[in-house]
Amino acid sequence: MNRKLRRILFISIGFNLLFIIVTGFTFVKLDKVDAGVKKTNAVNRAGFHYYERTSLFDELSIPPNFIVFLGDSLTFRTEWAELFPGKNVINRGIGGDTTEGVLDRLDSVIAAQPKQIFLLIGVNDLRSHSVSATLENYSLIIDRIQSGSPKTEIFIQSLLPVNNKKYGKILTNYKIKKMNEGLRYLAENTGVHYIDLYSIFAENDQLPEKYTLDGIHLTGKGYILWRESIKEYIE
């Protein structure tokens, strides 16, 4: 009897252990799937802004002979019409945008045959791409504008410095300056204007704290300095 009871007890313990192992494995697996779904949704949400903005731009055509500010979040985060009252300016900035993103949405800008385009793009590229690859896309942007809207006056604006104390080491100002050297060369070789915003903003090769809260985006004072730096070119 004792032997039989021991056997039943061992079998019972075995089944309990097996149940615990299977249940635990199932929870871990479900947790991983759930985490994967959350991650995917987060990635999708990060891209929603681009598609929301481009779908809006598809509905709102640019009037002829307008001045277009084209770029990423630095362009997107201000009110250009209020910075330049009385001027026909329009904002075509998208947060997080890259040179590739600009290329994908460039047709609607070219179709409007704008009077001027002020372009500032590329800082988001540099976090994961080389200077040469970014410049290659930039060159394609200039070429397409010149081919599709030859009367448009193009202004390449240099990238701004970042404040590495606030922004971290994701991107160095050394790389930004290399990019700007390439942009200056591109402007000279394509016959477009180059505006050196970097030198205007930088103090000791950093974006001063008075112009930024997070190390890369601008405060109101920063946008006023930007306006003062380019107002002579606005027609």
Side-chain angles (χ1 to χ4, degrees):
M1 180 69 74
N2 288 340
R3 185 177 298 177
K4 186 175 182 180
L5 284 174
R6 283 200 299 270
R7 183 179 299 173
I8 293 172
L9 180 62
F10 286 142
I11 292 172
S12 175
I13 292 173
F15 274 117
N16 285 333
L17 286 173
L18 181 62
F19 176 77
I20 292 170
I21 291 170
V22 170
T23 303
F25 177 76
T26 302
F27 278 127
V28 169
K29 191 171 182 180
L30 286 173
D31 184 60
K32 285 182 178 179
V33 170
D34 185 55
V37 171
K38 289 178 181 177
K39 184 176 180 181
T40 301
N41 288 340
V43 171
N44 288 337
R45 284 196 300 271
F48 283 169
H49 175 67
Y50 179 88
Y51 294 105
E52 287 167 353
R53 291 287 286 175
T54 52
S55 68
L56 176 62
F57 297 157
D58 289 340
E59 300 296 328
L60 302 174
S61 58
I62 302 169
N65 282 326
F66 261 57
I67 300 166
V68 176
F69 282 85
L70 182 61
D72 51 36
S73 57
L74 285 167
T75 298
F76 167 68
R77 289 185 176 208
T78 194
E79 305 297 336
W80 293 107
E82 293 181 54
L83 287 173
F84 294 105
K87 300 293 184 180
N88 293 326
V89 299
I90 199 162
N91 191 334
R92 285 296 180 265
I94 296 181
D97 207 2
T98 62
T99 54
E100 184 178 358
V102 168
L103 282 168
D104 286 344
R105 61 188 177 94
L106 198 54
D107 285 346
S108 62
V109 177
I110 293 172
Q113 303 289 295
K115 185 176 184 179
Q116 297 176 309
I117 292 178
F118 286 81
L119 184 62
L120 198 160
I121 194 72
V123 70
N124 292 315
D125 297 68
L126 295 183
R127 291 187 298 181
S128 56
H129 294 84
S130 67
V131 169
S132 60
T134 307
L135 285 169
E136 185 176 344
N137 277 349
Y138 218 115
S139 179
L140 292 174
I141 292 170
I142 301 303
D143 181 66
R144 281 180 57 187
I145 295 172
Q146 290 182 323
S147 298
S149 186
K151 293 183 178 180
T152 298
E153 192 175 16
I154 304 170
F155 295 83
I156 292 177
Q157 300 170 103
S158 75
L159 301 187
L160 303 180
V162 296
N163 184 304
N164 290 118
K165 182 179 177 181
K166 290 178 173 288
Y167 190 60
K169 301 299 183 181
I170 303 170
L171 178 61
T172 67
N173 285 312
Y174 175 80
K175 192 173 185 180
I176 289 175
K177 288 194 292 184
K178 285 294 182 183
M179 178 70 186
N180 287 337
E181 289 175 9
L183 291 177
R184 185 189 294 274
Y185 180 81
L186 177 62
E188 291 173 354
N189 282 272
T190 54
V192 306
H193 303 279
Y194 177 78
I195 303 175
D196 182 10
L197 294 179
Y198 186 99
S199 297
I200 294 169
F201 275 87
E203 292 181 10
N204 298 318
D205 270 335
Q206 293 288 307
L207 181 62
E209 292 189 8
K210 61 185 174 183
Y211 296 135
T212 185
L213 296 176
D214 63 3
I216 188 168
H217 298 106
L218 296 178
T219 61
K221 289 183 183 294
Y223 280 109
I224 297 303
L225 178 59
W226 190 349
R227 179 191 66 185
E228 294 304 300
S229 304
I230 66 173
K231 65 181 182 181
E232 64 182 284
Y233 305 108
I234 302 289
E235 296 182 359

